[in-house]
Amino acid sequence: MTDQNKYLLVSEQVVPEILLKVVAAKKLLEGGKCKTVGDALRETGISRTAFYKYKDHVFVLDQINKEKIVTLFFVLDDVAGILSDILSVLAKNKANVLTINQNIPIRSVANITISIRTDNMTVHIDKLINKLSLINGVNKIEILNRE
């Protein structure tokens, strides 16, 4: 991710239909009307590929403000102190760490998931991810879940 990520507020009247369907599928899942992603995709008529391509990038405006917990997945070099560096960046940006799951490194690579509370953060999640990606030894960061 780069610092050049920008967000647009766009009327749904001009948004491509696929993005509206992704939002509709997410709403079906969040509201419990569909139990599985497959059910929601059949209901909205979109492909699994399209859903996963856009699901973390399309939100209804009120959903952005309600997001409180984000789970991040990291692929890291097995280097002493890297988790401490990550936690330091999270703390400096007022992300409240809820859980950390660290697996034993395999072939000098460690996988870690960290769930954070975002409601008091001083930066947007994309900017936080950008800061985290600058840490030496961080090879990959993904958002696994947003609640």
Side-chain angles (χ1 to χ4, degrees), residues 108-135:
S108 299
V109 175
N111 296 325
I112 296 176
T113 57
I114 301 176
S115 294
I116 59 173
R117 184 169 294 280
T118 61
D119 48 345
N120 292 320
M121 283 188 1
T122 57
V123 297
H124 189 274
I125 189 69
D126 287 338
K127 184 138 179 118
L128 178 68
I129 289 171
N130 186 51
K131 289 179 179 189
L132 292 166
S133 70
L134 297 175
I135 297 171

Side-chain angles (χ1 to χ4, degrees), residues 9 59-69 117-121 124-125 146-147:
L9 181 60
F59 304 95
V60 175
L61 187 58
D62 65 345
Q63 288 177 318
I64 293 170
N65 296 330
K66 288 181 182 177
E67 224 170 71
K68 302 286 188 212
I69 299 173
R117 184 169 294 280
T118 61
D119 48 345
N120 292 320
M121 283 188 1
H124 189 274
I125 189 69
R146 299 176 191 239
E147 295 179 30

Side-chain angles (χ1 to χ4, degrees), residues 48-66:
R48 187 172 292 276
T49 303
F51 178 74
Y52 284 107
K53 179 177 181 180
Y54 297 117
K55 77 175 183 71
D56 291 329
H57 303 286
V58 180
F59 304 95
V60 175
L61 187 58
D62 65 345
Q63 288 177 318
I64 293 170
N65 296 330
K66 288 181 182 177

Side-chain angles (χ1 to χ4, degrees), residues 97-116:
V97 176
L98 301 173
T99 63
I100 300 172
N101 183 359
Q102 180 176 357
N103 296 322
I104 296 172
I106 299 174
R107 294 186 205 107
S108 299
V109 175
N111 296 325
I112 296 176
T113 57
I114 301 176
S115 294
I116 59 173

Side-chain angles (χ1 to χ4, degrees), residues 25 28-29 34-48 51-52:
L28 289 170
L29 289 165
C34 288
K35 299 294 182 203
T36 67
V37 171
D39 291 342
L41 300 182
R42 276 188 291 283
E43 181 79 22
T44 55
I46 59 173
S47 71
R48 187 172 292 276
F51 178 74
Y52 284 107

